[in-house]
């Protein structure tokens, strides 16, 4: 016998009530990335992109952090809140891009370019962060590289975010590692071109992890939060969203009067970000998963790389007219 709709609804309500009670009892905060399932985001105290979640992890007064995201994000939360107990709600959720560079590989890369500073995307392990001069997220990568005031930078692991930084800072040579995000690379140029032809007035909002020909068709390039804010504030009502599919789902839920299209044949879905379910959150609140630990050798140096990034003023996510990263206003004739 399959459970009836009522049984399933009752079970979900019971689970939500248990999570609420455990959260209060443990003085826990739940942080969720916007690529997580909507039901997971809905129980979170804070949802956002990698930068926003890092800031929340650093600022929270809670004793316990339940992270709904992938492994490097929970490690970042632990680095920023060492005195707190941090759980990754589903300890199996990793990031294939972060796994594309190991400490040994980065050490060899650095040896080829002595003295050149290294900027590491937060999508890296703590051990890799420990070998970087600064971290960055997709929201502040350009600002971080600019702040180093140098004419060469090693950028790891995402070559597509690196290429975007290069396009914004032509005077700095960005030497990229060969990493990429499999989910964002699924966004296919032909698929996007066909969708644009169907909706010629739509604004195309693109994450910098996408391939360069996809970014070339963008009206706006920005982080997850940047895309969410741009869709909320700019005067258009039709958008093509080129990033992990969770972002378009969130936008559709929040702005039902606007139209959000995705290059649907592309299926830009991150399976790791969908691994967490409400049951995992309950298990983490009960301490039934291992707490995140970082070895002492990596800790101080990785934390330093994050501190260098966090010291840089918060970037503007909504970009003004005329910016190289935003053509929305000119397309709308504003
Ligand atoms: P942001 O949250 O920085 O936009 O990065 C997207 C991503 O792929 C996270 O894994
Ligand atoms: Fe990693 Fe890409 Fe998934 Fe983000 S969306 S966790 S970068 S694989």
């Amino acid at each position: 016998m399959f459970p009836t709709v009522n049984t399933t609804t009752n079970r979900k309500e019971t689970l939500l009530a248990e999570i609420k009670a455990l959260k209060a009892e443990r003085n826990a905060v739940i942080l969720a990335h916007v690529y997580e399932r909507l039901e997971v985001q809905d129980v979170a105290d804070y949802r956002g992109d990698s930068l926003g979640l890092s800031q929340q992890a650093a600022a929270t007064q809670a004793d316990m952090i339940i992270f709904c995201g992938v492994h490097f994000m929970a490690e970042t939360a632990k680095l920023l809140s060492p005195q707190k107990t941090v759980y990754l709600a589903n300890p199996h959720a990793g990031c294939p891009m972060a796994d594309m560079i190991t400490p040994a590989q980065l050490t060899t890369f650095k040896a080829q370019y002595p003295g050149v500073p290294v900027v590491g995307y937060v999508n890296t392990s703590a051990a890799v962060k420990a070998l970087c001069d600064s971290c960055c997220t997709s929201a502040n990568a350009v600002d971080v590289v600019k702040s180093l005031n140098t004419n060469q930078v090693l950028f790891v692991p995402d070559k597509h975010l690196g290429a975007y930084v290069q396009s914004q800072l032509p005077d700095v040579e960005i030497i990229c590692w060969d990493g990429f995000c499999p989910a964002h690379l699924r966004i296919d140029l032909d698929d996007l071109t066909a969708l644009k032809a169907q909706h010629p007035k739509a604004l195309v909002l693109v994450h910098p992890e996408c391939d360069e020909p996809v970014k070339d068709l963008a009206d706006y390039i920005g982080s997850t939060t940047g895309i969410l804010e741009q869709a909320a504030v700019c005067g258009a009502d039709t958008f093509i969203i080129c990033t992990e599919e969770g972002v378009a789902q969130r936008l559709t839920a929040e702005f039902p009067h606007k139209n959000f299209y995705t290059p649907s044949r592309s299926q830009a879905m991150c399976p790791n970000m969908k691994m967490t379910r409400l049951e995992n959150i309950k298990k983490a609140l009960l301490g039934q998963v291992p707490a995140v630990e970082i070895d002492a050798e990596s800790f101080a140096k990785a934390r330093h790389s994050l501190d260098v990034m966090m010291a840089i003023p918060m970037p503007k996510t909504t970009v003004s007219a005329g910016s190289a990263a935003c053509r929305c206003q000119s397309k709308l004739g504003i």
Side-chain angles (χ1 to χ4, degrees):
M1 273 277 285
F2 293 108
T4 62
V5 175
N6 269 351
T7 319
T8 312
T9 310
N10 290 345
R11 207 175 288 156
K12 187 174 173 190
E13 275 165 14
T14 307
L15 201 46
L16 290 173
E18 286 171 338
I19 288 172
K20 197 172 166 201
L22 282 167
K23 203 162 74 85
E25 195 182 297
R26 307 282 150 112
N27 188 25
V29 68
I30 301 177
L31 307 180
H33 195 276
V34 185
Y35 299 169
E36 291 288 315
R37 292 169 187 274
L38 285 182
E39 64 184 23
V40 166
Q41 292 182 49
D42 288 344
V43 295
D45 298 285
Y46 183 83
R47 57 169 183 259
D49 65 1
S50 303
L51 180 59
L53 294 171
S54 303
Q55 288 167 325
Q56 288 298 318
T60 182
Q61 297 299 313
D63 297 318
M64 182 187 279
I65 297 174
I66 307 294
F67 214 110
C68 306
V70 293
H71 189 248
F72 75 82
M73 297 180 177
E75 272 194 344
T76 303
K78 182 67 183 176
L79 287 166
L80 293 170
S81 285
Q83 70 290 6
K84 301 196 162 73
T85 309
V86 178
Y87 293 108
L88 177 60
N90 187 333
H92 301 292
C95 168
M97 182 208 281
D99 294 340
M100 287 177 193
I101 187 158
T102 63
Q105 287 171 317
L106 180 51
T107 303
T108 308
F109 191 39
K110 283 172 66 157
Q112 289 165 27
Y113 300 94
V116 178
V118 184
V119 173
Y121 197 15
V122 279
N123 301 39
T124 44
S125 66
V128 165
K129 285 184 178 72
L131 297 170
C132 295
D133 294 279
S134 177
C135 289
C136 74
T137 75
S138 59
N140 62 15
V142 174
D143 295 309
V144 168
V145 172
K146 210 192 286 178
S147 75
L148 294 176
N149 231 342
T150 173
N151 54 10
Q152 264 190 330
V153 159
L154 300 185
F155 194 92
V156 301
D158 186 12
K159 63 179 171 188
H160 298 289
L161 179 59
Y164 171 66
V165 175
Q166 182 69 85
S167 72
Q168 302 297 297
L169 300 175
D171 294 338
V172 185
E173 187 191 359
I174 314 284
I175 305 161
C176 294
W177 188 251
D178 192 20
F180 58 89
C181 165
H184 283 86
L185 282 202
R186 251 177 242 133
I187 295 174
D188 174 68
L189 185 62
D190 292 342
D191 202 359
L192 173 59
T193 308
L195 199 55
K196 259 173 79 75
Q198 275 174 44
H199 305 282
K201 292 209 171 122
L203 292 182
V204 181
L205 313 187
V206 179
H207 195 283
E209 287 177 19
C210 291
D211 205 0
E212 282 52 68
V214 170
K215 289 198 286 270
D216 287 344
L217 295 183
D219 295 305
Y220 170 81
I221 300 172
S223 71
T224 302
T225 300
I227 290 174
L228 289 167
E229 291 186 2
Q230 190 71 11
V233 302
C234 88
D237 62 5
T238 305
F239 299 88
I240 297 173
I241 305 296
C242 296
T243 183
E244 208 277 343
E245 63 182 26
V247 174
Q249 285 165 4
R250 179 91 253 151
L251 285 166
T252 306
E254 283 184 14
F255 303 102
H257 57 289
K258 296 191 179 191
N259 305 305
F260 299 100
Y261 298 99
T262 51
S264 53
R265 272 188 287 136
S266 307
Q267 290 192 319
M269 191 270 281
C270 175
N272 291 280
M273 287 284 195
K274 310 300 181 205
M275 278 186 181
T276 304
R277 293 176 176 272
L278 294 176
E279 287 80 0
N280 298 104
I281 298 176
K282 179 181 160 188
K283 270 181 92 173
L285 281 162
L286 288 167
Q288 291 173 350
V289 293
V292 175
E293 299 293 347
I294 294 162
D295 69 89
E297 206 187 312
S298 297
F299 202 106
K301 288 180 186 159
R303 169 68 196 244
H304 176 73
S305 295
L306 282 168
D307 285 343
V308 173
M309 171 184 88
M310 304 291 269
I312 291 168
M314 181 69 184
K316 269 197 197 159
T317 42
T318 40
V319 185
S320 56
S323 152
C326 182
R327 297 192 282 258
C328 292
Q329 282 86 350
S330 58
K331 185 158 174 180
L332 292 172
I334 296 172

